[in-house]
Amino acid sequence: MLKNRLCSLPLAGLIALALAGCDGGGSHHESDPAPSPPQASNILFMIMDDVGIDQMAAFGYGGATPPKLPNIGAVANAGLRFHNTWSMPECSPGRASFFVGRYPFRTNIYQAIGPNDLANSQVSPYDVTVPKLLKRAGYENGMFGKFHLAGPENNEAENMTPRVLGWDYFYGWIGGLPGSIDTTAGGIAAESTYSCGFVPGKHAGGTDSGACYQADNSCREITRTALSQDAAGLQCLSSGGIFVPDETCGTPPSNLNFNRENGYYVSPLVIIDGDHLEQVPLSDPRSRQYRTTTEADAAIEWIKSRSGAKPWMATVSFSAAHTPWQQPPGSLVDGPEDFASDGWSCQATATGRQLQNQMTEAMDKEFGRILVETGLASRAPDGSLIYDPNASNTVIVIVGDNGTLGSAVKLPFVGSQAKGTAYQTGVWDPLIVAGPQVVQPGRQVDHMVNAVDLYQFFGEIAGLDVHKEVPRTVDSVALLPYLSNPEQSSLRNINFTMGGVNYQANGGRNAPCVINTTCTQIPTSKGVCEDNQGVYWGPGYTDASVIPNDGEGYKMCADVNRALYNAGRDMVDIMPETSIAVRNDQYKLVRNTTQNFDPTTQGRKTDVVDELYEINQAVPVPLLDTPDRNLLVNNPDANTLAIYDELRATMDRMLASEPACPGDGNRDGVVNAQDLENWRKIAQNWGLSSVYDFFVNGMLDGLTNHVDETIVQNNLNTTCPPSYGVY
């Protein structure tokens, strides 16, 4: 393997790393990029959050009430629909797959990155990310919206992680997830008063008039005169204000709180332009707008400001339709609707499908606005999108990051096997590609594709061979041949997906969250648990249904079941701690590992279960991997067992394809003086979590110290066992 150039890693050094190309040992310097290929295409990359293929009428699904997505549909009709695409079960591993082209067992990003997850489970500053790769072909790179790849916690770069990972410009949210809904609506009421974060209309128990205050103490009075308008409280919230019901403008009340997040409407915005970082206060008007609109506005402004001298890649990483589900402004959907008028609640499971539909529809509308305002499309007299992929030199890529959240899944897909699992509903995602490279647009490609393949595709568009450019094992295979050749045969023999547990200090875990009758440790905090209609059982629990244990909380779902069992209550189902799947063209193997409670020993037990299914992509009712179709039950025949053995061997070979190499923090394939120098810089200037914090007795301590130096010294001049790809 090629060796990395020597780099230092305090914050200034981390930024220099992104600019100078200390990215894992590539042969090009970012400060001296290779010439752009002739007519290099721009790339508009749109990521949808928690929008699985089950939502998509463009792919033949969506159930009885699919979200209306005319703009995405227009692009799909003018491009290719990849109908057999897998991502990962959760957002951070799915997004890491897009941007580094490697599976979770290589990145150690197994689930959504939370505030307690160490740098070892974040994208490494040494990774050759897509923006670093494309700089070698002269590209400018901007990202807008949700980041969720690294930081800000447990990372030396903190809020500068997008810059360190190669983006020239970033406008959005580093941690990614929208904050919880502010049920006080800005401090005007007690907690839990307003489940949607705003005062509803009069017919729904609220009011139709009041004073709308802004953070600068300006005020305007709002009166709702027709049900076709948004509730006055929502009008005020959408403008960035706090609504005081049934009052006129005057002296602002003392209880107004402009420093609290409120779902999609008040968010901690971060702007990075080159080496300049701005953390925008929550009271700033830029932080007080519906997220989907903010994301679209920022992308439009950046794209329009490009000079045309260089190709660009704009990643519009929409937050929608991730929880907390919150009503979008009426201008972004078919018509305003006060959910509370029907007795709905933004925190009620029963409304998930309706709210997600409206949030997804709002995203589609803003996506269409991006296309029109940047000149990539226009509007017909009837308002429909006119998109000609040959009218610009821009490739458009649209993808979902993982499957849909269970309570919003559309039939015939299965809510209990959705996001967070390796079942089809959890990992089967829409992928649309359009642009001048597409021959015979409107086609559907049924061959297997993986999220990691987008990494290679972005390189292909830029004229780069990623397997030559990147000195690590890349799991991508080509996508470009499918665009140019309608008869292209499958380039993948297998597909793979994996979810699990991120690394936390001293073996820590996200606390248990019970949603309905299932316990999960996916939610990264109490707020995220409750945003997903769950009951939090961790430290600081407050729900009356939690069995008290002096406030200590419970570490594992198995411990929740122990408490329930000993209290004589029904135990809950437990979501697998690790969920892995591999498939060929016809069959799929799922392996679930669950930490459960054993009533006999009163301890924890580990259950590993393999399941085998025949699956397909039929429309409108595909063969899914539902429990009643497990081929390994009821005395499987010899042919079934042979299929199982083959897929099991493939899975085991893949999981073994990235051998450990203690001391090789930059993963350049050798432990050498460079690792010592990198360790020294981090230990002196940071000392906390980094990729130079190594395992001791099977755990990480979240520190970069002399214990880790000893590991480097003990392995000095070691050449790492080779890793390899399995396609």
Side-chain angles (χ1 to χ4, degrees), residues 199-364:
V199 180
K202 183 176 182 179
H203 66 291
T207 186
D208 285 336
S209 63
C212 179
Y213 287 94
Q214 302 293 329
D216 63 1
N217 291 332
S218 63
C219 179
R220 67 185 176 99
E221 294 171 11
I222 299 177
T223 298
R224 182 190 197 186
T225 58
L227 291 179
S228 60
Q229 297 176 315
D230 283 338
L234 180 55
Q235 292 182 49
C236 180
L237 179 62
S238 300
S239 73
I242 294 177
F243 184 72
V244 183
D246 300 319
E247 295 288 341
T248 57
C249 292
T251 302
S254 60
N255 59 342
L256 300 187
N257 184 356
F258 286 93
N259 294 300
R260 176 168 171 173
E261 294 182 45
N262 186 352
Y264 274 74
Y265 287 93
V266 184
S267 300
L269 180 64
V270 171
I271 304 171
I272 300 171
D273 189 354
D275 294 337
H276 180 260
L277 167 68
E278 182 180 5
Q279 295 177 249
V280 180
L282 291 176
S283 58
D284 190 296
R286 292 172 295 173
S287 294
R288 307 183 68 81
Q289 182 178 239
Y290 187 65
R291 269 202 191 207
T292 304
T293 297
T294 296
E295 292 155 349
D297 284 348
I300 290 166
E301 181 177 0
W302 186 82
I303 292 170
K304 291 175 69 174
S305 70
R306 298 306 90 206
S307 68
K310 295 181 178 182
W312 50 261
M313 178 174 177
T315 297
V316 186
S317 181
F318 283 115
S319 303
H322 198 287
T323 53
W325 288 319
Q326 191 173 30
Q327 182 177 351
S331 60
L332 297 183
V333 293
D334 282 347
E337 181 174 9
D338 189 339
F339 287 147
S341 67
D342 295 324
W344 291 10
S345 164
C346 285
Q347 296 175 352
T349 301
T351 63
R353 290 178 179 82
Q354 295 95 323
L355 277 168
Q356 174 148 9
N357 270 9
Q358 293 227 342
M359 293 173 71
T360 308
E361 290 170 3
M363 176 179 60
D364 177 79

Side-chain angles (χ1 to χ4, degrees), residues 623-661:
L623 286 180
L624 296 173
D625 40 4
T626 52
D628 58 302
R629 301 190 61 255
N630 182 3
L631 299 175
L632 295 181
V633 300
N634 299 326
N635 299 315
D637 60 25
N639 181 61
T640 298
L641 291 176
I643 295 167
Y644 167 58
D645 288 341
E646 180 180 354
L647 287 174
R648 181 178 58 180
T650 298
M651 180 183 288
D652 292 343
R653 186 159 55 98
M654 294 187 74
L655 295 175
S657 69
E658 187 73 13
C661 188

Side-chain angles (χ1 to χ4, degrees), residues 6 125 129-130 190 244 300-301 311 321 327 337 394 436 463 554 566 586 642 645 717:
L6 197 62
T129 59
V130 165
V244 183
I300 290 166
E301 181 177 0
Q327 182 177 351
E337 181 174 9
T394 300
Y554 298 85
N566 291 329
Q586 188 174 359
D645 288 341
N717 300 318

Side-chain angles (χ1 to χ4, degrees), residues 363-696:
M363 176 179 60
D364 177 79
K365 189 161 188 175
E366 292 292 47
F367 169 66
R369 184 166 67 88
I370 292 172
L371 297 185
V372 171
E373 293 193 16
T374 59
L376 297 177
S378 60
R379 292 287 180 193
D382 65 358
S384 61
L385 190 76
I386 300 174
Y387 168 64
D388 178 2
N390 294 306
S392 70
N393 189 32
T394 300
V395 176
I396 298 176
V397 179
I398 304 169
V399 72
D401 63 347
N402 48 248
T404 304
L405 187 68
S407 54
V409 165
K410 302 292 196 302
L411 294 174
F413 292 80
V414 182
S416 61
Q417 295 181 304
K419 175 185 176 180
T421 77
Y423 296 107
Q424 290 294 86
T425 308
V427 301
W428 187 8
D429 286 285
L431 172 61
I432 297 166
V433 177
Q437 296 86 346
V438 175
V439 175
Q440 295 182 14
R443 288 186 283 126
Q444 176 173 296
V445 176
D446 290 315
H447 301 310
M448 289 183 289
V449 171
N450 194 279
V452 297
D453 298 339
L454 286 173
Y455 182 81
Q456 181 158 337
F457 179 65
F458 296 139
E460 290 171 324
I461 294 300
L464 301 171
D465 183 338
V466 302
H467 293 278
K468 291 182 179 179
E469 293 283 338
V470 180
R472 300 186 183 190
T473 295
V474 173
D475 294 302
S476 305
V477 301
L479 283 184
L480 188 60
Y482 295 121
L483 277 63
S484 58
N485 180 11
E487 305 304 319
Q488 177 64 49
S489 59
S490 179
L491 298 172
R492 275 192 169 275
N493 295 316
I494 58 96
N495 214 344
F496 178 83
T497 188
M498 180 180 193
V501 177
N502 285 345
Y503 294 132
Q504 298 183 2
N506 304 310
R509 293 284 191 275
N510 295 335
C513 175
V514 176
I515 302 175
N516 297 323
T517 60
T518 299
C519 186
T520 174
Q521 295 188 239
I522 291 175
T524 57
S525 67
K526 183 176 186 288
V528 174
C529 172
E530 293 172 348
D531 289 341
N532 286 276
Q533 295 82 51
V535 175
Y536 180 74
W537 283 65
Y541 59 82
T542 54
D543 195 278
S545 67
V546 176
I547 297 172
N549 67 348
D550 297 324
E552 181 180 344
Y554 298 85
K555 181 177 181 180
M556 302 285 289
C557 286
D559 304 331
V560 172
N561 266 348
R562 179 191 296 113
L564 291 170
Y565 177 83
N566 291 329
R569 289 166 53 181
D570 291 338
M571 293 191 291
V572 292
D573 297 327
I574 296 179
M575 281 192 68
E577 188 169 68
T578 302
S579 191
I580 312 172
V582 64
R583 69 165 292 183
N584 57 28
D585 283 331
Q586 188 174 359
Y587 294 96
K588 175 179 181 179
L589 171 64
V590 178
R591 177 174 296 165
N592 290 323
T593 302
T594 306
Q595 300 291 328
N596 212 330
F597 165 64
D598 185 348
T600 303
T601 64
Q602 286 286 304
R604 299 173 188 160
K605 63 176 181 176
T606 301
D607 296 326
V608 181
V609 178
D610 283 359
E611 303 165 1
L612 182 69
Y613 301 94
E614 183 178 6
I615 57 172
N616 66 25
Q617 294 72 240
V619 173
V621 182
L623 286 180
L624 296 173
D625 40 4
T626 52
D628 58 302
R629 301 190 61 255
N630 182 3
L631 299 175
L632 295 181
V633 300
N634 299 326
N635 299 315
D637 60 25
N639 181 61
T640 298
L641 291 176
I643 295 167
Y644 167 58
D645 288 341
E646 180 180 354
L647 287 174
R648 181 178 58 180
T650 298
M651 180 183 288
D652 292 343
R653 186 159 55 98
M654 294 187 74
L655 295 175
S657 69
E658 187 73 13
C661 188
D664 183 24
N666 57 14
R667 300 308 298 267
D668 66 352
V670 63
V671 184
N672 57 13
Q674 179 179 329
D675 290 299
L676 280 176
E677 177 66 8
N678 290 346
W679 168 85
R680 183 182 65 80
K681 293 292 186 181
I682 297 170
Q684 289 182 351
N685 294 287
W686 174 245
L688 303 177
S689 178
S690 79
V691 294
Y692 279 89
D693 173 22
F694 299 112
F695 283 92
V696 177

Side-chain angles (χ1 to χ4, degrees), residues 59-117:
F59 287 81
Y61 306 116
T65 56
K68 303 177 185 68
L69 308 175
N71 299 304
I72 293 173
V75 175
N77 291 336
L80 292 187
R81 296 182 302 277
F82 287 90
H83 192 235
N84 191 2
T85 302
W86 274 8
S87 186
M88 304 301 139
E90 294 186 49
C91 47
S92 295
R95 290 160 188 265
S97 298
F98 304 151
F99 291 114
V100 301
R102 297 187 296 123
Y103 292 135
F105 58 80
R106 304 193 200 280
T107 64
N108 296 323
I109 303 172
Y110 298 104
Q111 65 184 142
I113 296 171
N116 296 319
D117 294 335

